[in-house]
Amino acid sequence: GWKDVISTTIINFNNEKMQITWAARELFSSENVSFSYTFDEGKNKVWKPCPTYLLDQDYNSGCLFKTEGPTLAISIRKSNGSEELFSKTLKSDFYIKPNRPENVTFFWKADTVTVSCNKPERAVKCLTLELQYKSKFDNGWQSRTSKCCSVGEQGFDPRKCYSFRVRLKRLVPYCNVVNYSSDWAAETFWMNGTLLDSCGDDIKSHSNTVTVLSCLLAVLLVMLILLILLCKWQRLRKSVMPAIPDPKYIFADLFNDHNGNFQEWIDKTDHAMVQTKLEYEETECIIEEESQQEDEKNCDKQEPQEKIFSFSRAAENNDPKAAQIACLMPRSNTIASFAGFQILMNDDMYVML
C-alpha cells in the first residue's frame, strides 16, 4: 500500500542534476528511509545509493544526484534495506527545469523593445522565452512569451521607467509533464533606452522636479500679490496724501544757477523775457516829461493787451531810461504774473507771491 500513497517531487535541473524529494515527516514519521536509483534498463540494473541526502529535522527527505540518462528508476526502502516502500520508473527528460537565461540583451527602437539571450545547447525547440515588465503606474507584471530566444514588445512610454525580467519555460505537454520554468534572470531597469540602477531614481528625480516647480510657482505668486498690493497702496497714498510739488524742480535755474537768489534770478529772467517777447509788444509809448499826462491817456484808450514789465536795476535807481516801458499801467497797486509767480508792484517796491 505504500507504493500507491507516496508522493514525490522530481526535478531535472537542465538535464544535468536530478533532485527527488518526498514528505518524510508525514509518510515516515516513525523511522528513517534510504534511497537508491539507476539509469540502467532491462533486468541487469545496478542500483546506486544516494550520494547526497536532503534532510528535514534529521530525517531523509530527498536525494540529489547526477543525471546519467533519459530513463530513471528510483526505490525508497527502510533504513536497513529489508523492505521496499516505494519504487518508480520515469523519463528524466520530462522533468527538466531549464537554467536561467544567459547574456540577456535589450534593443530599443522608438517605443519597441526586443529582448534576447543565448540559446541553450540542448532542446531549444522545447523552450520559450518569457518577458515580464512593469512601471510604477502598473498594478502588476505584464507578460509576453515568444519562441526561444527572442521576444519583442511595443508601446513603451519613453517618459516612464520600466522593470524587466526574463526566464525560459519548457513546453507542456510536448516536452514536459510538469510546467517547469527557469529562475528569473537579474531584474533590470530601463527608461527611454537607458539602463538605470533602479526606478527609484526616476521617482526621486520626478519628485524633486515637482518640488522645485511648486516652489517657483509659489514664489512667483507671492511676488505678484505683493506687486498688486504695492500698486494699490501707492494709489491710496496719492489719493489720501497728494504729493506737494518741489519748486526746486520747477525753477531749476533759480536753485542751480543762482543758489536761490531771487533778486539775481528775476533780473536776468526779466531781461530775457523782454527780448523774447518783443514781437508781442504793443506800440511803444514814449513818455516825455512835458507830455506825460497826455500819453498816459492815449495808452489807457488802447485795448487790453499782453503787457511786459521790466524790473531792471535802472528802474530801481530812478534811471531816466527806465521811463521807457511798453504800455505802462497806472503805478498804483499792480499785479503781474511771471513763470508761475504773482508779483505785486506798488511804486518802487515789488513783492513775489
Side-chain angles (χ1 to χ4, degrees):
W2 285 107
K3 297 180 181 181
D4 298 331
V5 298
I6 293 179
S7 176
T8 58
T9 301
I10 305 168
I11 303 176
N12 183 359
F13 292 102
N14 199 39
N15 207 24
E16 297 173 356
K17 188 175 293 187
M18 298 292 301
Q19 176 180 291
I20 312 295
T21 58
W22 55 87
R25 299 295 297 170
E26 290 78 5
L27 298 175
F28 313 111
S29 56
S30 59
E31 61 179 319
N32 215 339
V33 295
S34 63
F35 178 86
S36 59
Y37 68 96
T38 182
F39 286 94
D40 297 331
E41 299 183 19
K43 296 181 178 180
N44 300 322
K45 295 180 180 179
V46 179
W47 293 89
K48 298 179 181 180
C50 177
T52 305
Y53 278 104
L54 304 177
L55 302 179
D56 180 13
Q57 297 182 4
D58 296 331
Y59 283 85
N60 295 334
S61 62
C63 182
L64 190 63
F65 54 94
K66 184 179 179 181
T67 304
E68 299 174 0
T71 302
L72 172 65
I74 60 176
S75 175
I76 299 176
R77 296 175 176 269
K78 288 185 177 182
S79 58
N80 57 11
S82 60
E83 181 182 354
E84 185 178 64
L85 303 176
F86 176 75
S87 64
K88 184 175 182 179
T89 301
L90 53 95
K91 291 292 184 180
S92 61
D93 292 345
F94 286 169
Y95 296 86
I96 294 178
K97 178 178 180 178
N99 289 340
R100 67 177 62 189
E102 297 179 352
N103 296 330
V104 179
T105 58
F106 290 79
F107 176 74
W108 289 75
K109 185 177 181 180
D111 65 340
T112 302
V113 178
T114 302
V115 184
S116 58
C117 66
N118 288 351
K119 290 184 179 181
E121 296 178 357
R122 292 174 292 185
V124 176
K125 294 182 179 180
C126 289
L127 296 173
T128 59
L129 183 64
E130 181 182 9
L131 168 67
Q132 288 191 346
Y133 62 90
K134 68 175 180 178
S135 70
K136 61 185 178 182
F137 302 100
D138 298 325
N139 295 327
W141 291 97
Q142 310 296 317
S143 183
R144 295 292 181 273
T145 303
S146 180
K147 292 182 179 181
C148 186
C149 292
S150 178
V151 58
E153 180 63 13
Q154 60 183 5
F156 291 96
D157 190 342
R159 297 170 297 179
K160 297 179 181 179
C161 178
Y162 292 90
S163 303
F164 290 92
R165 64 182 185 180
V166 293
R167 66 179 177 180
L168 292 171
K169 298 181 65 175
R170 289 275 293 186
L171 293 175
V172 177
Y174 305 104
C175 299
N176 262 32
V177 294
V178 181
N179 189 13
Y180 282 147
S181 301
S182 71
D183 296 333
W184 291 104
E187 185 175 351
T188 57
F189 308 92
W190 296 80
M191 181 177 180
N192 195 21
T194 303
L195 180 63
L196 304 177
D197 293 334
S198 68
C199 283
D201 298 338
D202 171 58
I203 297 172
K204 184 177 180 180
S205 176
H206 184 267
S207 177
N208 291 339
T209 303
V210 171
T211 302
V212 172
L213 291 177
S214 301
C215 293
L216 288 177
L217 290 176
V219 170
L220 291 177
L221 182 60
V222 171
M223 292 178 64
L224 179 61
I225 294 175
L226 291 177
L227 184 60
I228 294 174
L229 292 177
L230 181 61
C231 293
K232 290 185 175 294
W233 167 249
Q234 291 290 343
R235 291 181 181 180
L236 179 63
R237 188 176 64 83
K238 288 182 179 180
S239 61
V240 175
M241 297 180 293
I244 300 175
D246 192 344
K248 178 172 65 176
Y249 301 102
I250 301 176
F251 306 102
D253 54 345
L254 172 61
F255 294 94
N256 295 336
D257 300 340
H258 304 284
N259 295 326
N261 190 333
F262 178 77
Q263 180 64 50
E264 181 181 344
W265 173 76
I266 196 64
D267 288 345
K268 291 187 176 182
T269 305
D270 180 60
H271 179 68
M273 287 292 293
V274 171
Q275 292 183 357
T276 56
K277 293 190 177 182
L278 286 177
E279 61 185 34
Y280 297 102
E281 292 181 359
E282 298 294 335
T283 304
E284 183 179 5
C285 297
I286 301 176
I287 303 176
E288 298 179 355
E289 294 181 359
E290 55 270 15
S291 59
Q292 181 177 358
Q293 293 181 355
E294 183 178 354
D295 291 338
E296 289 180 357
K297 292 180 180 180
N298 292 334
C299 290
D300 293 339
K301 291 180 182 180
Q302 295 179 5
E303 295 182 359
Q305 300 278 340
E306 180 181 359
K307 300 176 179 57
I308 300 176
F309 300 91
S310 175
F311 303 100
S312 63
R313 291 188 180 277
E316 289 184 357
N317 299 329
N318 294 324
D319 194 310
K321 294 181 180 181
Q324 297 179 358
I325 62 173
C327 298
L328 181 65
M329 295 186 68
R331 297 184 63 185
S332 60
N333 295 342
T334 305
I335 297 177
S337 178
F338 178 75
F341 288 95
Q342 290 186 348
I343 303 174
L344 175 63
M345 294 171 292
N346 188 357
D347 295 338
D348 294 335
M349 298 179 60
Y350 57 86
V351 179
M352 186 178 211
L353 302 178

